Amino acid sequence: MSTEDEEDKTETACRICGYDVGEPVFNEYGVPQYVICPCCYNESGIGDDNVSQVRELRGYWVATGAPWHEPKLRPANWDLLEQLANIPPQWC
Ligand SMILES: [Zn+2]
């Protein structure tokens, strides 16, 4: 038996926009927690379970000017490209 089989799949960054929500959007088993992203307004588990759809949602969000769903949470020095770099590689 190896503990390496028990990989922690927790994700706290939004797959669409890379914003770190600060709580698991997918838990340690990779199960979506249906957390609404305050940045791009995506809900984890809805439309973000395959990479082509994730890219499509991200492309649409960026194309519309990367609007914040909750603008008051937007950091003053917010950097879109820096945030996009948080996206797990398998969802880029
Ligand atoms: Zn997001």
Side-chain angles (χ1 to χ4, degrees):
M1 288 290 282
S2 164
T3 54
E4 282 168 38
D5 296 330
E6 294 161 28
E7 190 194 348
D8 187 343
K9 296 191 170 82
T10 304
E11 290 175 45
T12 60
C14 176
R15 289 177 178 178
I16 310 301
C17 72
Y19 180 72
D20 192 325
V21 178
E23 58 179 302
V25 291
F26 288 83
N27 72 11
E28 65 268 41
Y29 307 108
V31 176
Q33 301 303 295
Y34 302 100
V35 177
I36 292 184
C37 176
C39 180
C40 72
Y41 200 32
N42 183 70
E43 186 171 349
S44 63
I46 309 288
D48 63 356
D49 57 352
N50 77 74
V51 71
S52 62
Q53 210 168 355
V54 164
R55 286 179 183 147
E56 196 177 315
L57 288 169
R58 185 184 306 127
Y60 178 77
W61 176 69
V62 171
T64 53
W68 274 70
H69 173 58
E70 292 185 40
K72 62 180 189 292
L73 292 178
R74 177 182 160 151
N77 60 347
W78 185 60
D79 186 324
L80 171 63
L81 294 179
E82 205 173 283
Q83 182 176 296
L84 291 174
N86 287 334
I87 297 166
Q90 66 270 35
W91 300 109
C92 281

